């Protein structure tokens, strides 16, 4: 059961609501959508580049494209550009794979004064490590389910 608030707590809550900054949710969503879309268009252009110039197929061009996108986002983070993109776009820059590259290199840059091994190496995968672990575990579960479905003749 919820504890009832004192008159002073209610008064403070009203004051807080009065001074709270209203966020432009629709505007923020449009910025995120626009920037995320541009990132995806760049990724598609890189995919076509690999298909056209390096004789990859549509199936095999994905891996070098992802690696290139992560590398570009790491370079942009290192030069301080990706932070400005992230401030402008929010989730539009964090959700694509470029957000992963940004998270990895940001932790490395932040802890570089502690040395290469304990600073950069020890902190680089703090956030990204859980993402990698979840991705590997999810891939294992999906592969296991698919294998079982194929064995049972469903697929």
């Amino acid at each position: 059961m919820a504890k009832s608030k004192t008159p002073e707590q209610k008064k403070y809550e009203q004051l807080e609501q009065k001074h709270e900054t209203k966020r432009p949710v629709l505007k923020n969503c449009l910025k995120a959508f626009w920037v995320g879309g541009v990132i995806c268009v760049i990724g598609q252009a890189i995919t076509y580049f690999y298909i056209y110039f390096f004789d990859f197929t549509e199936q095999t061009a994905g891996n070098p494209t992802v690696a290139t996108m992560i590398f570009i986002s790491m370079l942009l983070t290192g030069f301080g550009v990706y932070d400005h993109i992230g401030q402008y776009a929010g989730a539009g820059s964090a959700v694509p794979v470029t957000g992963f590259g940004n998270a990895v290199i940001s932790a490395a840059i932040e802890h570089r004064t502690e040395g290469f091994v304990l600073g950069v190496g020890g902190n680089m995968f703090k956030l990204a490590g859980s993402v990698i672990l979840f991705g590997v575990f999810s891939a294992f579960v999906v592969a296991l389910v698919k294998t079982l479905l194929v064995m049972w003749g469903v697929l």
Side-chain angles (χ1 to χ4, degrees):
M1 185 172 349
K3 184 178 170 184
S4 62
K5 295 180 182 175
T6 65
E8 205 165 289
Q9 287 174 328
K10 290 179 184 177
K11 186 178 177 183
Y12 179 78
E13 198 172 81
Q14 289 172 350
L15 179 69
E16 183 184 32
Q17 288 175 354
K18 178 180 161 187
H19 291 288
E20 183 180 1
T21 304
K22 303 294 183 229
R23 295 182 188 96
V25 176
L26 181 62
K27 182 180 174 184
N28 290 345
C29 287
L30 290 174
K31 285 186 203 177
F33 182 77
W34 180 78
V35 172
V38 168
I39 290 171
C40 291
V41 166
I42 292 169
Q44 193 65 45
I46 292 170
T47 299
Y48 287 143
F49 173 80
Y50 282 122
I51 291 172
Y52 184 76
F53 288 106
F54 293 103
D55 204 29
F56 282 95
T57 65
E58 286 188 30
Q59 274 74 29
T60 59
N63 291 338
T65 299
V66 169
T68 304
M69 293 295 289
I70 290 173
F71 180 74
I72 290 170
S73 70
M74 287 179 163
L75 280 178
L76 292 176
T77 301
F79 290 124
V81 175
Y82 205 85
D83 295 335
H84 295 295
I85 295 170
Q87 285 291 322
Y88 176 77
S93 66
V95 171
V97 73
T98 54
F100 172 77
N102 178 42
V104 169
I105 204 71
S106 293
I109 290 170
E110 184 177 335
H111 294 91
R112 73 180 179 268
T113 58
E114 298 172 25
F116 285 116
V117 175
L118 296 177
V120 174
N123 293 297
M124 184 184 295
F125 292 107
K126 272 188 177 176
L127 173 66
S130 58
V131 173
I132 293 169
L133 177 67
F134 181 74
V136 170
F137 179 73
S138 299
F140 172 76
V141 170
V142 168
L144 183 64
V145 169
K146 182 179 179 188
T147 302
L148 292 174
L149 292 174
V150 168
M151 285 175 49
W152 293 332
V154 177
L155 292 179

